Each structure stands twice: as C-alpha cells, then as structure tokens.
Amino acid sequence: MATDNPDFELHSLFDVRHKALAVNGARVYIVGRTESKLRVAADVHGRNIKGEIIPLVGDVTNKDDIKCVQILSITIDFSATSRESRMSMSRIETKEKALHILINNAGIYSASQEAKGDDASQAKENLFDTPNATFEDWTDVYRTNAASHYFVTTAFLPLLARGSAPEHPGYQSCVINISSINGLIRTSLNHFASNAAKAATIHVTKMLATEIAKMKLHIRVNSIAPGVFPSEITAGTASSNGKSTLDAEAWPAVKEISGGRVGTHMDMATAVMFVACCQYLNGVIIPVDGGYLVEHGTL
C-alpha cells in the first residue's frame, strides 16, 4: 500500500532549493542603498553555500530605483563611482524566469517623543513642541516602513506570478513583509511615527493579500512581526561583518518576554522558512517575539 510518509520528512517539508535561502541553493538578490553594507553581506554570507548572493544598489523608497532593480544585470562593478557606470543595463527577466519569494525588509525608526507629563501643558511640550516632532519624520518613516512594501511588491507581480507557474505544481510564490510587534501593541514605546507605520505595514500586507487573491493571481502575501532582535536599530551599531549584538541585560523589554531572551538569527530563519514553505498561508501576520505579546496584548 502506498504511503505519503516521505512527504513529511524535513527535507521535503522545508524544501527551499528553488525558493528561498542561498544556503539551500537559491539565487538571492539583496537590495539596499549602502553599497559597502551590501558588499559585506554578500561576502560574509555568500561563502561556502550552494546558492549565491547578488548585491544590487537601489533605494526602495524611489519608484525609478525600483524599476532600475528590475532591469539590472547581475554583474556590478563596485570600483565605478556612478550608479550608471556600476550597473550594466539588461533586463533581469533575461536572467531570471521567475521570482519565488520577495522579502520586504526595509525599516527605520522615527524620532522619540516621551509620552509623559504632570499636566496637559507638559505633555504638549514633550509630544508637540519638541523640535524632533515633525511632519517630515512621519513622512520619511511611512515612506520606508509602509509605502516601499507596496511599491516593491506591485512592481514584481509579473515575476512573482511566473514563480507560480505549472512547472511547480501546488506552489505559489510569496511575499513576506517584515513588520514588527510594535505595529500590534497599543503603547507607543515613545516612537509614535514608526509604530504607526509598522501598523500600516501590517494593514498593507492584508490589503495586498486580499486584492491579489481577488485578481486570481497565485501569489501569497504574509508578514512576520519580529519582537526584540539584534539589529542596527536596536543595538545602534553593527560589527565589521554586518552582525549586531544586543546586551539582554541592558534591554528592559527582555524582562517582559516570557522566553527570557532576545531573538536569534535561527528564530528568524525558521519563521521565514515556515512562511515561505507553507502553501496554505495567506494574509497572515505572524509575531515572532518570544512571548512579548502575551504580556502586552494586541490592538
């Protein structure tokens, strides 16, 4: 009698050879504004792997740059000085038949305004009168944390649709928007603009999932909402290899995490693997926070 037991072996459940991680044989394009950081990431994480990591310089908050990423050659001359000379223009569609996974990971923090005061006048002074409370700050953080996810996703819909082609029966390409538990909690954590923008990221994810499904495009859209993880935002810096470390003892939020620690790269990797590989997942927000929301609840 035939059995489907082999389908439940780990290498089958989390088969990402043609889907996600460069370690498992995928060709991964990384896009960012800072050339030096891209070079470090490609060099550090691109060694001794089955796939490859290809850096592309681009600004995901600019439509022209997003279009440019679509027509870049995979060959970049890092010794050149201008973008035009660094990038050989030939359509990426001639290099790649399809895109199976798109991860929107752009994010910045807003300025901090302390939500405290002994009376209304002091509260106004802390929240409105402070020089760093500006419309420009709100606009910048929304542009990066929410709008970029929308524009990058919609720009790559044709390539994503090809990733769900018949040669991969049962597989649908997916978009993974990296949001934050800050978009799910009721408190500001003194970052009103960026927390509101992360909530917008989450809603953009749900709207895209809904509208794309209504258009009968076989593309899944989900979001991972991380809690406290080491990054340049939380740690304030990164080492020469691009990695950040976080002193758990010096991070007050750790005391409010039932897991008792900050997140690790393995925690994030397993979450991405799950979202990428589970074909029955669409329009879902998955907190990866060690239990922070257990204490604080959600909107």
Side-chain angles (χ1 to χ4, degrees):
M1 181 180 295
T3 176
D4 59 359
N5 284 348
D7 293 339
F8 293 94
E9 294 180 2
L10 286 177
H11 72 272
S12 294
L13 284 174
F14 297 102
D15 180 6
V16 293
R17 286 172 296 178
H18 59 277
K19 301 174 186 174
L21 304 177
V23 171
N24 290 281
R27 181 179 294 111
V28 176
Y29 293 86
I30 56 175
V31 180
R33 289 179 291 193
T34 309
E35 182 179 302
S36 58
K37 292 180 180 179
L38 293 172
R39 294 182 65 182
V40 169
D43 180 56
V44 171
H45 302 292
R47 299 177 183 177
N48 302 318
I49 61 175
K50 298 175 183 178
E52 59 181 319
I53 299 176
I54 302 163
L56 298 176
V57 178
D59 181 357
V60 295
T61 66
N62 182 289
K63 284 187 74 171
D64 288 336
D65 269 28
I66 295 171
K67 292 177 185 177
C68 191
V69 167
Q70 291 179 277
I71 57 174
L72 294 179
S73 165
I74 62 173
T75 302
I76 299 178
D77 178 9
F78 284 109
S79 64
T81 56
S82 68
R83 172 168 297 175
E84 288 74 22
S85 59
R86 285 200 308 264
M87 299 176 175
S88 173
M89 308 301 285
S90 62
R91 287 196 173 276
I92 200 170
E93 285 89 345
T94 65
K95 302 291 183 180
E96 306 297 338
K97 295 180 179 179
L99 177 63
H100 297 96
I101 293 176
L102 171 64
I103 300 179
N104 290 311
N105 191 41
I108 59 174
Y109 248 17
S110 61
S112 176
Q113 293 89 35
E114 291 188 282
K116 66 179 184 179
D118 294 330
D119 55 35
S121 294
Q122 195 173 74
K124 172 180 175 289
E125 181 180 334
N126 290 331
L127 298 174
F128 181 84
D129 294 334
T130 178
N132 69 4
T134 66
F135 278 94
E136 289 76 17
D137 186 43
W138 279 73
T139 301
D140 288 345
V141 77
Y142 262 82
R143 187 184 186 97
T144 300
N145 292 8
S148 71
H149 292 56
Y150 166 83
F151 283 106
V152 173
T153 298
T154 52
F156 279 92
L157 285 177
L159 273 178
L160 286 163
R162 293 177 205 167
S164 304
E167 56 262 31
H168 303 303
Y171 177 78
Q172 295 184 76
S173 294
C174 71
V175 178
I176 303 175
N177 290 329
I178 306 301
S179 55
S180 171
I181 61 168
N182 290 2
L184 293 169
I185 60 177
R186 294 184 293 272
T187 54
S188 71
L189 302 178
N190 296 328
H191 290 279
F192 283 86
S194 54
N195 282 18
K198 287 299 185 181
T201 304
I202 289 168
H203 195 50
V204 165
T205 297
K206 293 178 179 180
M207 289 190 294
L208 283 171
T210 300
E211 300 298 343
I212 288 172
K214 285 168 61 177
M215 289 186 282
K216 306 298 182 183
L217 299 176
H218 299 294
I219 301 167
R220 299 179 296 113
V221 186
N222 297 289
S223 176
I224 294 174
V228 181
F229 279 78
S231 69
E232 285 193 63
I233 289 179
T234 55
T237 185
S239 64
S240 58
N241 66 358
K243 291 275 190 178
S244 298
T245 57
L246 199 60
D247 182 2
E249 296 296 325
W251 194 260
V254 174
K255 299 176 183 178
E256 302 170 348
I257 299 173
S258 60
R261 61 175 177 84
V262 300
T264 69
H265 64 285
M266 287 299 295
D267 295 321
M268 184 55 61
T270 51
V272 170
M273 293 276 279
F274 168 66
V275 177
C277 295
C278 182
Q279 294 298 302
Y280 217 49
L281 202 68
N282 195 14
V284 175
I285 314 302
I286 300 179
V288 182
D289 66 347
Y292 184 86
L293 293 180
V294 172
E295 175 72 21
H296 288 269
T298 61
L299 290 170

